[in-house]
Amino acid sequence: MTPLFIANGNVLDVHTLTMHAGHSVLVEGGRIAAIGAGLQAPEGAEVVDAAGLTVMPGMIDCHVHTVASSFNLGNVARLPNVLTMLRALPIMQAMLGRGFTSVRDAGGADWSLAEAVRTGLISGPRIFPSGKALSQTGGHADFRPRSDELDLCSCVHKLGNIGRVVDGVDACRIAVREEILKGATQIKVMASGGVASPNDPIGNLGYSEDELRAIVEEAGNANTYVMAHAYTPRAISRAVRCGVRTIEHGNLVDRETAELMAAMGAYMVPTMITYEGLANEGEKYGLPALSIAKIEGVRGPGRQALEILANAGVKMGLGSDLLGETHYLQAEELRLRAEVLGNGPVLQQATLIGAEILGHKGELGEVTQGAIADLLLVDGNPLHDIQCLLDQGAQIRAIVKDGRIAKNTL
């Protein structure tokens, strides 16, 4: 691989939230080899002039659904696998174009999509797939309509289904082992009701504690962890006590539950922007009426949840959780959070804390020697104006992923 030399940029240190003016970055073998003010480009290196631009880490979205090409997840679940894959490609390409160089897929994407990106077959962010999210019968990933007779769920076999229905301790153990075997890098579990599914109110719990503990144990046996969809204090505290490492959404969290999360070292991945998309565009694009009716119950408390979590010292990763036609809103999650928490903490959530959640601390989410060279060259200073990271990456002039230029408008 030809060395890459990014010259004379303003390098953002996301640890200290400071800018180092006039620094260059040398990339060799896909990693950052050196950073400094007096560096010289080695002979034969590709040189990019970053004068006046911010050089910052590629961003990490810890909650996406790359195969969710429609609001109506039940319809997506019935698509042929090849069509599901083809509809996912522009979604992934656009994520990378917005500056998200790594994403954690929270249900749907599998090893094949991740491998296609890794090998350069398709363009997109580095994917950490969860495979199929685990749901109890009637839970958040059971999209079968009410009927006199329930058809057998074909969710295990369809790429477009974000989850699989599995019940009982032994069956849950087998399901975890199967998802790991198929290439999941972490396990997703539906620990409460949700918005996009038809028959599970938000306040419902998902799985028994015995089932949750078995899922956590099996993930731990494979040296990975469990992420849990959960909204209410009851669902969140129960999941954390059962060993779940990251909670997804958590809109209704209270102070006591947030303090429990902090004490247990659990992470939260709020997903504020998806509720704006669901509320504003869901009906137009086919979100079922039962789901639309659930939105307001979690949309309003989301901002307050950010404050509660921050005050309790809970580490938060960035997540968007968008569906269908609203994937374009992804970077707006930065803006919504910055309005509550400020630009600096949100940038850390989208980089450093995201890398911790993925298990790649020191490798992703920072511009330091030895880190993987995922870099953004931004026309603007995101510490002062988060807007420069919005607008579909219009002010992100260049994107480097794994040491290779993925976008260059300079």
Side-chain angles (χ1 to χ4, degrees):
M1 183 186 297
T2 302
L4 175 65
F5 191 77
I6 300 171
N8 302 315
N10 302 318
V11 175
L12 174 60
D13 183 338
V14 289
H15 289 274
T16 61
L17 297 176
T18 56
M19 202 74 74
H20 300 288
H23 275 45
S24 298
V25 180
L26 174 62
V27 175
E28 294 180 329
R31 291 185 179 262
I32 297 171
I35 306 168
L39 293 181
Q40 297 296 318
E43 185 176 350
E46 182 177 5
V47 178
V48 175
D49 184 4
L53 302 178
T54 295
V55 181
M56 64 172 282
M59 292 185 290
I60 300 167
D61 190 331
C62 284
H63 194 120
V64 303
H65 294 287
T66 54
V67 302
S69 56
S70 168
F71 269 106
N72 193 320
L73 294 178
N75 288 343
V76 177
R78 290 186 286 272
L79 291 174
N81 286 351
V82 171
L83 185 55
T84 298
M85 175 79 80
L86 291 174
R87 288 170 62 151
L89 299 185
I91 293 172
M92 295 162 56
Q93 291 165 351
M95 287 179 177
L96 180 59
R98 297 183 200 106
F100 291 94
T101 51
S102 295
V103 298
R104 185 179 62 160
D105 193 285
D110 63 3
W111 175 85
S112 63
L113 269 177
E115 184 68 2
V117 172
R118 188 191 69 83
T119 58
L121 183 62
I122 61 176
S123 174
R126 180 183 297 100
I127 297 176
F128 293 82
S130 301
K132 303 291 186 196
L134 308 187
S135 169
Q136 68 175 40
T137 294
H140 186 50
D142 188 345
F143 295 101
R144 293 174 292 179
R146 296 192 191 281
S147 179
D148 294 334
E149 298 290 335
L150 291 175
D151 295 331
L152 290 176
C153 183
S154 63
C155 46
V156 174
H157 309 292
K158 287 289 190 178
L159 177 62
N161 202 315
I162 67 169
R164 58 187 289 185
V165 175
V166 56
D167 297 289
V169 169
D170 289 343
C172 285
R173 290 187 184 277
I174 293 170
V176 173
R177 293 170 185 174
E178 288 178 345
E179 294 306 323
I180 296 294
L181 175 61
K182 291 191 295 180
T185 54
Q186 64 282 324
I187 296 297
K188 169 77 176 296
V189 63
M190 302 303 193
S192 83
V195 171
S197 47
N199 302 318
D200 56 330
I202 296 291
N204 281 15
L205 295 178
Y207 286 117
S208 69
E209 291 193 20
D210 286 344
E211 288 168 318
L212 287 175
R213 292 185 190 279
I215 291 166
V216 168
E217 181 183 5
E218 291 298 331
N221 289 348
N223 293 307
T224 189
Y225 66 93
V226 175
M227 54 189 292
H229 163 109
Y231 279 100
T232 64
R234 184 183 175 207
I236 295 167
S237 59
R238 184 170 172 264
V240 170
R241 288 193 177 99
C242 287
V244 167
R245 183 165 174 263
T246 78
I247 299 294
E248 313 301 305
H249 316 304
N251 297 51
L252 305 178
V253 68
D254 59 18
R255 180 182 58 80
E256 182 180 2
T257 306
E259 290 173 351
L260 172 67
M261 290 187 66
M264 298 287 286
Y267 296 83
M268 180 71 84
V269 180
T271 55
M272 296 178 64
I273 190 59
T274 189
Y275 308 107
E276 303 303 310
L278 291 168
N280 296 329
E281 302 186 44
E283 184 176 7
K284 178 171 65 174
Y285 290 117
L287 187 69
L290 287 172
S291 295
I292 292 172
K294 298 180 184 180
I295 296 169
E296 285 307 315
V298 294
R299 182 186 183 189
R303 295 173 73 93
Q304 183 181 4
L306 292 179
E307 295 175 343
I308 291 171
L309 293 161
N311 290 337
V314 177
K315 289 186 176 182
M316 289 178 269
L318 188 93
S320 59
D321 190 33
L322 292 159
L323 306 176
E325 295 78 3
T326 59
H327 282 288
Y328 76 97
L329 293 169
Q330 185 180 25
E332 292 292 324
E333 182 74 22
L334 296 163
R335 177 184 59 80
L336 290 179
R337 294 197 191 196
E339 289 173 357
V340 179
L341 303 173
N343 294 1
V346 174
L347 289 170
Q348 291 176 325
Q349 292 171 10
T351 55
L352 288 175
I353 299 175
E356 285 186 28
I357 289 172
L358 297 177
H360 285 269
K361 181 179 179 179
E363 286 196 309
L364 297 174
E366 56 186 274
V367 185
T368 54
Q369 187 173 350
I372 294 170
D374 286 1
L375 303 167
L376 310 180
L377 277 62
V378 182
D379 187 3
N381 183 345
L383 288 173
H384 298 157
D385 182 10
I386 206 73
Q387 186 68 33
C388 66
L389 298 177
L390 277 57
D391 297 329
Q392 309 307 308
Q395 290 177 250
I396 303 176
R397 303 295 307 281
I399 298 173
V400 177
K401 178 171 165 281
D402 281 320
R404 294 183 173 90
I405 295 176
K407 169 185 175 179
N408 188 358
T409 63
L410 291 171

